[in-house]
Amino acid sequence: MKSTRLSSDDGAVFVVVGEPGEDAFQLLSDFAKSNQLSAAQLTGVGAFRRATVGWFDREAKDYRRIEVDQQCELLSLLGDIALSDDGPQVHAHVVLGLPDGTTRGGHLLSGEVWPTLEVIVRETPAVLRKTSRPELGLALIDPDRTDT
């Protein structure tokens, strides 16, 4: 992974570029932790050799894994970073384009970068905190625990 910080008046803006073979979710998580991000927006494009996305099954309170075991274009990555009890947590959704023009989408669980991943990380001047919601099986941003 390579990254650079761009100047901004409203908080830091970073460009994060993934290298072939890196796992997209892991590199974004590592980037968030190493830069101690407490609130940020993510947007990105690129391509994967293979990927796994998830669809949240509310009855099982877990993600159903959707394997995309082929080269795919990362048409869109949107997400956020907020603090959980374990530090910065990445929450990203993706739309993947397949060779026949169909798409797959869901929560980004993993994606083997090939040939690149280009993500803009826009830090916000606030602290977003996630709270565990056992009844849902998720930790979600809690507007009552947001510091500005």
Side-chain angles (χ1 to χ4, degrees):
M1 164 186 37
K2 295 179 182 177
S3 67
T4 189
R5 182 181 174 139
L6 307 174
S7 62
S8 174
D9 294 336
D10 298 331
V13 176
F14 301 90
V15 177
V16 179
V17 178
E19 299 289 330
E22 290 184 294
D23 179 76
F25 188 83
Q26 189 62 54
L27 79 87
L28 291 172
S29 295
D30 292 346
F31 179 82
K33 288 176 184 167
S34 68
N35 286 277
Q36 301 176 342
L37 299 178
S38 60
Q41 295 175 306
L42 306 171
T43 58
V45 295
F48 298 139
R49 181 180 314 274
R50 66 182 58 81
T52 304
V53 296
W55 180 81
F56 192 74
D57 182 331
R58 59 192 259 188
E59 289 185 25
K61 296 182 183 175
D62 200 4
Y63 290 99
R64 288 190 194 171
R65 297 173 67 85
I66 302 165
E67 304 291 338
V68 180
D69 198 23
Q70 62 182 305
Q71 178 70 28
C72 51
E73 294 289 322
L74 175 58
L75 304 175
S76 176
L77 179 150
L78 297 171
D80 60 49
I81 296 169
L83 288 179
S84 71
D85 291 340
D86 298 325
Q89 183 178 16
V90 173
H91 179 196
H93 289 208
V94 296
V95 177
L96 306 174
L98 304 180
D100 64 359
T102 61
T103 58
R104 297 287 185 274
H107 292 266
L108 176 64
L109 300 178
S110 68
E112 183 183 341
V113 174
W114 195 93
T116 191
L117 172 67
E118 301 164 351
V119 179
I120 305 298
V121 179
R122 184 174 304 277
E123 187 177 26
T124 60
V127 175
L128 299 176
R129 298 186 190 280
K130 292 192 178 238
T131 298
S132 177
R133 302 275 307 272
E135 75 280 10
L136 301 175
L138 295 167
L140 303 176
I141 292 176
D142 185 345
D144 293 330
R145 293 186 63 207
T146 301
D147 305 330
T148 54

